[in-house]
Amino acid sequence: MAVSTTSSVTLSANDRLVAGVFALLLGAFLVFGAGLANSAVLHDTAHDTRHSYGFPCH
Amino acid sequence: MIVRYLLAALVAGLFSGVLMTAAQEARVVPLILHAEEFEGGDEAAPAAEGTTPGTGTEGAAQTQDHSSLGAVILDVASALSPVSVAYAHEGEDHEEGGIMFGMSRFSGTLLANLVTGAGFGLLLAGFSLVSGHPITVANGALWGAAGWLAVHMLPAIGLPPELPGFPAADLGDRQVWWIATVILSAAGLYLLFLKQNIVAKVIGIVLIAAPQVYGAPQPGDISSNVPAVLGAEFAVAALATTLFFWIVLGLSLGFANEKIAKAA
């Protein structure tokens, strides 16, 4: 069973795509909000994080 | 089942975000605070020349040279407060900023790291799920390293991690180049590492090289009041801490995935 302890084995191909696309969209939304969104409040809150991650900032 | 894989990505991302916050506080954030003491001298200097020559020596005390009375009061308040706020930066007409929910600067950074960690965790998991290559404990560090290459190292060739006060080209242009480079680099690394076909590998290298050949938007004037040594230290510290973050993320995501697979 050691071989089958992988993340895709227990999902059907269709479910895998649904989960993957959803994860990509939600992940992109979160990263955009924390790292790139052009809002002063978001910028000031995430300021040190944006610099630390090397996001293009101000 | 789908939800459990998303939860695994979230848990791994939040965990990595917490560790990342600790890593940042050790080295990166002190450098940011140090650089902010020099920031804004560029814009402040021409205004100061006309009125009160010689104020340059007090540069550190005047780094936030706002004109309105309200801003002055805020500056005084922040100087007295033990909690420093992340400033809206010099020379930009910002809308009213400030940290969400009146949190301290550290809480804001922690929150942003949690959100960013969860986001990158989901992106990494999504990439793995869509491409059909599972992330395990055995290969988690390599997945993390690849994520670091795509999101940090390769974009940093054109746009190195900047300190506050560094000269930079237009923000929109840089963000477009950055996003394009991250996407092209991720696609290129996928073709290079996960495809056996030699043509695919060559296309992968071309995709990785393309944004670098095109070139990142650069500022016209590269003079800065921030000492170069700080910039060099910061660039290395930022890349080192993000590498740490991604390896923790890859490993913890692999661990969470294997827990799920066993539980199923």
Side-chain angles (χ1 to χ4, degrees):
Chain A
M1 283 305 289
V3 181
S4 67
T5 56
T6 53
S7 68
S8 66
V9 172
T10 52
L11 283 181
S12 73
N14 196 27
D15 280 359
R16 191 163 56 73
L17 272 185
V18 171
V21 169
F22 184 76
L24 284 176
L25 290 177
L26 185 59
F29 173 75
L30 291 179
V31 169
F32 180 84
L36 300 167
N38 189 20
S39 142
V41 171
L42 287 178
H43 167 273
D44 288 3
T45 306
H47 178 265
D48 293 354
T49 300
R50 288 187 178 193
H51 278 285
S52 303
Y53 278 87
F55 287 115
C57 193
H58 46 78
Chain B
M1 264 329 282
I2 290 178
V3 173
R4 301 184 65 163
Y5 280 93
L6 298 179
L7 279 178
L10 278 176
V11 168
L14 294 175
F15 174 69
S16 310
V18 171
L19 292 193
M20 178 61 166
T21 307
Q24 282 174 356
E25 292 298 321
R27 181 74 175 141
V28 182
V29 169
L31 285 169
I32 292 176
L33 296 179
H34 196 172
E36 282 182 351
E37 294 171 13
F38 300 92
E39 184 187 15
D42 280 343
E43 287 91 356
E49 275 171 24
T51 52
T52 49
T55 52
T57 52
E58 302 161 25
Q62 299 201 347
T63 47
Q64 301 296 329
D65 190 21
H66 297 291
S67 51
S68 77
L69 184 62
V72 171
I73 293 172
L74 277 180
D75 280 356
V76 172
S78 68
L80 297 174
S81 163
V83 179
S84 60
V85 295
Y87 282 110
H89 291 274
E90 288 283 328
E92 295 170 30
D93 284 328
H94 265 275
E95 55 186 294
E96 203 58 36
I99 297 178
M100 252 187 264
F101 316 128
M103 293 184 299
S104 71
R105 182 168 184 163
F106 172 77
S107 319
T109 303
L110 176 62
L111 178 70
N113 276 328
L114 291 176
V115 173
T116 309
F120 281 135
L122 285 166
L123 285 176
L124 188 62
F127 195 95
S128 153
L129 288 165
V130 169
S131 70
H133 296 272
I135 299 176
T136 63
V137 173
N139 68 14
L142 290 177
W143 274 93
W148 175 76
L149 273 177
V151 179
H152 300 287
M153 187 61 223
L154 292 169
I157 294 172
L159 294 174
E162 321 149 22
L163 277 170
F166 265 30
D170 177 66
L171 178 61
D173 292 349
R174 280 182 294 139
Q175 289 187 331
V176 167
W177 187 88
W178 187 87
I179 293 170
T181 304
V182 169
I183 293 172
L184 288 173
S185 300
L189 289 171
Y190 167 73
L191 293 174
L192 185 60
F193 289 141
L194 295 174
K195 291 287 180 190
Q196 303 309 317
N197 185 341
I198 188 71
V199 177
K201 286 182 187 293
V202 171
I203 294 175
I205 292 172
V206 170
L207 286 183
I208 291 170
Q212 310 296 346
V213 173
Y214 178 80
Q218 298 296 328
D221 176 13
I222 59 168
S223 64
S224 167
N225 286 344
V226 182
V229 173
L230 282 186
E233 287 177 348
F234 179 76
V236 173
L239 288 173
T241 47
T242 47
L243 177 59
F244 164 76
F245 165 82
W246 274 96
I247 287 180
V248 170
L249 180 63
L251 281 175
S252 53
L253 184 56
F255 184 77
N257 279 339
E258 293 191 1
K259 282 281 175 202
I260 286 175
K262 282 204 183 96

